[in-house]
Structure formats: structure tokens, C-alpha cells
Amino acid sequence: MVKNPRAPVAQIVEGMEDTRPQQPEAAAQPSDKTLPVKVDELARDPEVQAYIEAANANLGVIGFTEHGTRHANLVSRIARNVLRRLDYDPHLQELAAIAGYLHDMGNAISRYDHALTGALLAREILLRYEVAPADIALVMGAIGSHGDDSQRLGEAVHPVSAALILADKSDVHRSRVRASDPSQFDAHDRVNWAVESSFLRVDPEEKAITLELTIDTSISQVMDYFEIFLPRMIMCRRAAELLGCQFHIQINGVELL
């Protein structure tokens, strides 16, 4: 058992801060118009359904975890809840829910640059529903900034973007694993399979956002989680900071960050 796991993890995170791009001085502002479409209607849209189904199928072929309607629904709900708990305007909450539902559609085209292609697909769909340009810009910015490829981490650029990153990167759970035979698990499968529960807790009074995980350490060690997901946790930390909060990780009741 690690006697003091907090310090090494915190030091690793601090050591990577120098690579962080500078935040812009101003971010896009939402429109003052009522949204002509809500996330529930978008979830029933045949085009949206086709893109999400294709994206999930494509990622399954190349060995990625589940990225279908389960993931889309969960990320949508969590993104909305992050802004709701922090008392953001209901209009921004709905935009976060929309961005959360649509964020992975770009995988229908390719995993590479899927955040950018997904933002463009979302633009065409929201234009069809006559969503205001300012609102489309916010959704596109959120989707386009959520990627975590090896070249550069996505960076939260406004509250909708921050909520999407936190919601997306906190979805670690055994229900995402596609393989039924543990002998076929890769490193991501093993870590996801080890996570028995995952909850993103938002405490507005303490200005804290905490990812609470329960991990079966007989399947995967705690440090395996950080080895796989540390870049995503750095993204979450920066996203929480944009929302005026501190980001924490609690695993099996122990705060590690």
C-alpha cells in the first residue's frame, strides 16, 4: 500500500504545467435567444443517431472502449450538472448538454482530429435547427477543444468547454469495456474494467470538483490509472480552474490529488 500517494502524483501534474497554452483574454458569449432545440430532440435526430452509431462502430474496430449513446447521454448529463451545480445560466447548461451529446460524432469520420471534425458536423446540425450563431460557436468551441491526442492536450476555453472536458474525461467505468474475455484486455480495458464506480462531485461552497473512483486493485493498481489517464486529469484540473474550482481525485476513499 502506498503510504503517501498524494505527493508523487501532485508533483507529476505540477511538472507538466509549463506546457499549458495561455488562456485567451475573452471567450465567446452565449446569445440571448431561446434555444430552438434541446438535447432530447437532438438525441432523436436521425442524422445525430447515425453519426454516433458510426462513430462507436468505427472505434470498436480499432479497439477503443464504448463511445455510443451510453457515453453521449452520460457526458451530456454530467456537463449540464457541472454548470447547474455552479449556478451558471440555464442557457449555458443546455449548451453544455448539447455539446456533451454531440462531442464524439467526429469519430464517424476518423479518430484522428475527431474533435475538429465533430465540431463541424455539429455546426451543420445546429444550423438546420436555426440555433443562433453565438450558441453554435460555443458548442463548436467546446467540442473542438475536448481532444486529448499525443500532440497537444485539449484546453478549456469557456464554461461550456470546461464542463464538457470534465464530463468526458470522468467517464471511466467497466461498462465501457467491449471485450468479454479478460485475456483480450489492453491497458485501457483493464483500467476501465477495474473501476467499479465513478462519480464527479461538484461542491459549489468549497469550489471543488472531485472525481471519486472505486477501483478493484486486484484487477488494476491505482498507479496504472494515472499512467493511462494522467493527461486527461491534467485537462480536468485546468477545466476546473477555468470554472473557479480546484480539481481533486479520490480513489477508494483516499484523496490523491
Side-chain angles (χ1 to χ4, degrees), residues 140-209:
M140 290 179 67
I143 295 174
S145 300
H146 88 275
D148 57 2
D149 62 43
S150 59
Q151 300 300 314
R152 182 173 178 177
L153 297 181
E155 187 76 16
V157 292
H158 48 63
V160 174
S161 172
L164 170 56
I165 286 173
L166 287 160
D168 181 37
K169 309 314 175 188
S170 64
D171 185 17
V172 184
H173 192 264
R174 60 179 45 182
S175 59
R176 298 197 72 182
V177 178
R178 300 178 195 254
S180 57
D181 182 357
S183 68
Q184 302 299 314
F185 286 177
D186 62 13
H188 284 80
D189 288 337
R190 187 171 61 256
V191 171
N192 273 280
W193 187 256
V195 178
E196 298 174 336
S197 67
S198 173
F199 184 75
L200 189 69
R201 186 176 303 279
V202 180
D203 188 333
E205 294 183 359
E206 296 294 329
K207 294 293 183 181
I209 299 175

Side-chain angles (χ1 to χ4, degrees), residues 6 101 113 126 132 152-153 156 170 201 208 230 242:
R6 179 187 176 97
Y101 198 85
D113 293 327
L126 296 178
R152 182 173 178 177
L153 297 181
S170 64
R201 186 176 303 279
L230 182 59
L242 187 141

Side-chain angles (χ1 to χ4, degrees), residues 11-232:
Q11 289 168 7
I12 292 171
V13 174
E14 292 291 348
M16 298 184 70
E17 285 300 300
D18 290 342
T19 62
R20 178 180 181 180
Q22 186 176 1
Q23 288 286 351
E25 294 182 1
Q29 298 299 315
S31 74
D32 56 2
K33 298 180 180 180
T34 301
L35 277 167
V37 63
K38 299 295 180 68
V39 68
D40 292 344
E41 186 176 356
L42 287 170
R44 296 189 297 269
D45 185 282
E47 186 177 3
V48 173
Q49 291 177 345
Y51 290 157
I52 291 177
E53 289 173 6
N56 191 41
N58 291 350
L59 292 182
V61 171
I62 59 177
F64 278 76
T65 53
E66 182 269 336
H67 282 72
T69 54
R70 172 211 161 276
H71 179 63
N73 275 308
L74 184 64
V75 172
S76 177
R77 292 197 302 270
I78 294 175
R80 183 201 299 275
N81 189 56
V82 168
L83 296 191
R84 182 183 65 81
R85 292 283 295 162
L86 294 175
D87 201 28
Y88 279 85
D89 184 272
H91 189 88
L92 279 180
Q93 295 176 30
E94 187 66 30
L95 290 176
I98 289 172
Y101 198 85
L102 303 180
H103 77 283
D104 268 341
M105 292 190 306
N107 288 296
I109 298 172
S110 172
R111 178 64 183 175
Y112 298 105
D113 293 327
H114 78 282
L116 301 181
T117 54
L120 295 174
L121 291 176
R123 173 183 180 272
E124 297 305 310
I125 292 166
L126 296 178
L127 280 173
R128 174 156 53 82
Y129 283 97
E130 299 183 348
V131 175
D135 291 337
I136 295 177
L138 282 170
V139 172
M140 290 179 67
I143 295 174
S145 300
H146 88 275
D148 57 2
D149 62 43
S150 59
Q151 300 300 314
R152 182 173 178 177
L153 297 181
E155 187 76 16
V157 292
H158 48 63
V160 174
S161 172
L164 170 56
I165 286 173
L166 287 160
D168 181 37
K169 309 314 175 188
S170 64
D171 185 17
V172 184
H173 192 264
R174 60 179 45 182
S175 59
R176 298 197 72 182
V177 178
R178 300 178 195 254
S180 57
D181 182 357
S183 68
Q184 302 299 314
F185 286 177
D186 62 13
H188 284 80
D189 288 337
R190 187 171 61 256
V191 171
N192 273 280
W193 187 256
V195 178
E196 298 174 336
S197 67
S198 173
F199 184 75
L200 189 69
R201 186 176 303 279
V202 180
D203 188 333
E205 294 183 359
E206 296 294 329
K207 294 293 183 181
I209 299 175
T210 304
L211 177 58
E212 299 174 354
L213 301 173
T214 300
I215 292 180
D216 184 343
T217 55
S218 70
I219 299 172
S220 181
Q221 294 298 309
V222 170
M223 288 309 297
D224 293 339
Y225 172 85
F226 285 103
E227 182 178 357
I228 297 293
F229 294 121
L230 182 59
R232 300 181 189 183

